[in-house]
């Protein structure tokens, strides 16, 4: 039995967070590996990514060490890294700490925006099924002039993802599995405008006043995910795998308020195709696993002309040395992704950088993510 406690920090710089992409997609958990490989993991997911990105992977997991129980405590911070210390400057010497932080972050709010998403995630990952618990809180502010032109949101979300996988073809050279998952969720959501920000800066309101009434309108969502994964064994040499995958994510995924005519909060429906290679090697006495992956994301948007073909492309690479050091690289919408992790069995430390495109075409609205991860396993 293995438990993992993970502490993550993400720094995000963006020209805008209000593009074609649903703002809720930025509040959903992502693994360090997902970030470092440019998001190209539909055919090669591990850990909680099997619950979140391809439910068919439980019966077709990669042939290496697999954690059964996972507990993660991450926080995502959305801002440019160079603003970290100016934002915190003099905060602890004033009574209105939140208002002072917003004043110190004025330039950032009026350009790329600022936000935070701390969350707790845990899961059980069996051989054919898995389930988890994800609790997320999120806030984001952006706009100008400051403060009356600023807009944003605060949100709390509780989700219980469930997934089941079934192997439908089992042969000497080829296995095929299908999977389905549900992620029932309840969210508390409130839009923020310039008057809210002005009241915070002036000290006329606090967090309790700001969130007053948010409990009265819970949003519900029951998104469904479908996946298929085909694995070809020993096609190149003994132990190698060719992996082909397809997923349909966020079916019926919009948040809604039962019995009320409140506008739903959208979750992006996406149809994804992925391919991957798993290549175990040996360098002297040192084992080396190589994972190469590629995929097209949100093909439904490509067909509807709401995004370009190059935006949909993602490529990933992983080099795992003796299951001790992992290096990642990739491309997402033409933007590079890099990362790495050192795993001592009970402790691991990693970092990754990824830039994604949240607009319609490459260069429209890039979003850069700096991702740090600390993991304790017991």
């Amino acid at each position: 039995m293995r438990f993992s406690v993970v502490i993550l920090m993400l720094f995000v710089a963006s020209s805008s967070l209000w593009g074609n992409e649903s703002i809720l997609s930025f509040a959903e958990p992502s693994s360090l590996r997902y970030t470092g490989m440019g998001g190209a993991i539909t055919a090669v997911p591990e850990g909680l990514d099997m619950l979140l990105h391809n439910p068919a992977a439980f019966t077709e997991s990669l042939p290496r060490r697999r954690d059964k129980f996972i507990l993660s405590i991450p926080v995502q911070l959305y801002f440019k890294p160079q603003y970290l210390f100016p934002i915190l400057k003099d905060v602890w010497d004033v009574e209105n700490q939140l208002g002072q932080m917003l004043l110190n972050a004025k330039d950032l709010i009026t350009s790329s925006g600022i936000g935070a998403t701390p969350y707790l995630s845990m899961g059980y990952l069996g051989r054919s099924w898995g389930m988890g618990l994800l609790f997320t809180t999120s806030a984001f502010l952006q706009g100008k002039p400051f403060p009356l032109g600023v807009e944003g949101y605060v949100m709390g979300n509780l989700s219980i993802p469930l997934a089941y996988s079934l192997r439908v073809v089992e042969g000497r050279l080829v296995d095929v599995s299908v999977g389905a998952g549900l992620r029932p969720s309840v969210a508390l959501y409130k839009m923020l405008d310039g008057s809210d920000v002005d009241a915070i800066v002036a000290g006329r309101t606090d967090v309790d006043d700001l969130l007053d009434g948010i409990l009265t309108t819970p949003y519900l969502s029951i998104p469904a995910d479908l996946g298929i994964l085909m694995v070809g064994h020993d096609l190149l040499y003994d132990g190698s795998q060719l992996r082909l995958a397809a997923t349909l994510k966020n079916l019926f995924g919009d948040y809604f308020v039962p019995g009320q005519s409140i506008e739903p909060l959208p979750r992006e429906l996406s149809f994804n195709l992925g391919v991957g290679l798993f290549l175990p090697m040996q360098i002297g006495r040192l084992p080396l696993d190589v994972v190469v992956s590629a995929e097209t994301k949100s093909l439904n948007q490509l067909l509807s002309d709401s995004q370009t073909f190059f935006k949909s492309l993602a490529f990933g690479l992983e080099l795992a040395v003796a299951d001790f050091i992992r290096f990642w690289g990739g491309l997402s919408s033409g933007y590079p992704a890099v990362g790495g992790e050192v795993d001592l069995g009970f402790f691991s430390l990693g970092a990754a950088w990824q830039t994604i495109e949240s607009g319609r075409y490459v260069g429209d609205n890039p979003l850069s993510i700096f991702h740090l991860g600390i993991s304790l396993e017991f």
Side-chain angles (χ1 to χ4, degrees):
M1 182 180 298
R2 180 181 296 273
F3 292 86
S4 298
V5 179
V6 184
I7 303 174
L8 307 176
M9 180 173 291
L10 283 77
F11 301 94
V12 178
S14 171
S15 60
S16 174
L17 197 60
W18 313 102
N20 296 329
E21 193 120 6
S22 165
I23 61 174
L24 299 182
S25 64
F26 298 106
E28 295 185 355
S30 62
S31 68
L32 189 68
R33 183 172 181 262
Y34 179 95
T35 301
M37 295 181 66
I41 63 168
T42 294
V44 290
E46 287 187 322
L48 288 176
D49 287 332
M50 295 190 293
L51 272 175
L52 301 176
H53 296 288
N54 191 346
F58 284 94
T59 47
E60 304 295 348
S61 59
L62 292 171
R64 56 189 185 191
R65 192 190 76 190
R66 174 172 170 176
D67 295 336
K68 194 172 184 180
F69 294 90
I70 296 180
L71 172 64
S72 304
I73 309 174
V75 58
Q76 301 176 2
L77 302 179
Y78 303 90
F79 57 88
K80 296 178 181 179
Q82 63 266 33
Y83 281 91
L84 176 60
F85 294 108
I87 290 174
L88 298 179
K89 181 182 178 183
D90 301 328
V91 165
W92 311 118
D93 296 329
V94 297
E95 181 178 351
N96 183 16
Q97 295 181 358
L98 181 57
Q100 185 63 43
M101 288 182 68
L102 294 181
L103 280 174
N104 292 350
K106 173 182 175 181
D107 292 339
L108 184 60
I109 293 173
T110 56
S111 57
S112 65
I114 186 173
T117 305
Y119 56 88
L120 168 71
S121 62
M122 61 183 71
Y124 168 79
L125 308 174
R127 290 299 173 185
S128 61
W129 68 281
M131 66 179 299
L133 176 67
L134 306 176
F135 176 70
T136 305
T137 57
S138 182
F140 196 87
L141 292 173
Q142 182 190 48
K144 57 184 177 181
F146 182 90
L148 294 179
V150 175
E151 295 180 343
Y153 71 91
V154 292
M155 182 182 71
N157 181 66
L158 178 65
S159 176
I160 305 176
L162 309 164
Y164 177 76
S165 177
L166 176 66
R167 182 173 289 170
V168 294
V169 175
E170 185 170 2
R172 187 174 66 87
L173 294 179
V174 177
D175 296 330
V176 179
S177 289
V178 295
L182 289 176
R183 286 177 284 124
S185 308
V186 57
L188 304 174
Y189 180 86
K190 182 178 181 179
M191 289 292 297
L192 301 178
D193 57 27
S195 62
D196 296 314
V197 178
D198 185 50
I200 295 172
V201 172
R204 298 193 303 270
T205 187
D206 56 24
V207 174
D208 291 338
D209 295 332
L210 189 67
L211 299 181
D212 183 40
I214 194 174
L215 295 175
T216 62
T217 52
Y219 288 79
L220 301 180
S221 176
I222 311 177
D225 302 329
L226 301 175
I228 183 170
L229 182 57
M230 182 178 72
V231 179
H233 300 280
D234 306 329
L235 298 183
L236 298 179
Y237 55 85
D238 288 348
S240 64
Q241 291 185 351
L242 173 64
R243 305 168 66 90
L244 304 175
T247 59
L248 185 60
K249 289 176 51 63
N250 289 331
L251 280 166
F252 319 111
D254 290 355
Y255 286 94
F256 63 95
V257 179
Q260 298 189 35
S261 58
I262 297 178
E263 184 177 356
L265 303 176
R267 264 182 169 174
E268 182 185 274
L269 176 69
S270 62
F271 174 60
N272 311 301
L273 294 176
V275 59
L277 281 173
F278 175 76
L279 305 171
M281 301 180 182
Q282 194 87 15
I283 302 178
R285 296 184 178 180
L286 197 65
L288 172 67
D289 291 341
V290 179
V291 177
V292 182
S293 60
E295 68 180 75
T296 54
K297 296 178 176 292
S298 301
L299 283 178
N300 51 306
Q301 290 195 21
L302 178 63
L303 296 176
S304 65
D305 201 34
S306 59
Q307 73 172 12
T308 62
F309 176 71
F310 288 105
K311 183 197 169 182
S312 71
L313 292 178
F315 303 91
L317 171 68
E318 179 182 48
L319 304 177
V321 182
D323 211 13
F324 168 63
I325 300 177
R326 295 186 179 188
F327 300 99
W328 300 302
L331 287 173
S332 176
S333 302
Y335 301 108
V338 295
E341 182 181 55
V342 177
D343 189 349
L344 301 178
F346 64 95
F347 173 84
S348 64
L349 174 66
W353 176 274
Q354 178 192 13
T355 299
I356 63 175
E357 180 53 65
S358 59
R360 178 180 176 275
Y361 54 87
V362 176
D364 182 19
N365 187 23
L367 178 74
S368 296
I369 304 172
F370 183 50
H371 193 155
L372 295 176
I374 302 173
S375 174
L376 299 176
E377 301 173 346
F378 53 91

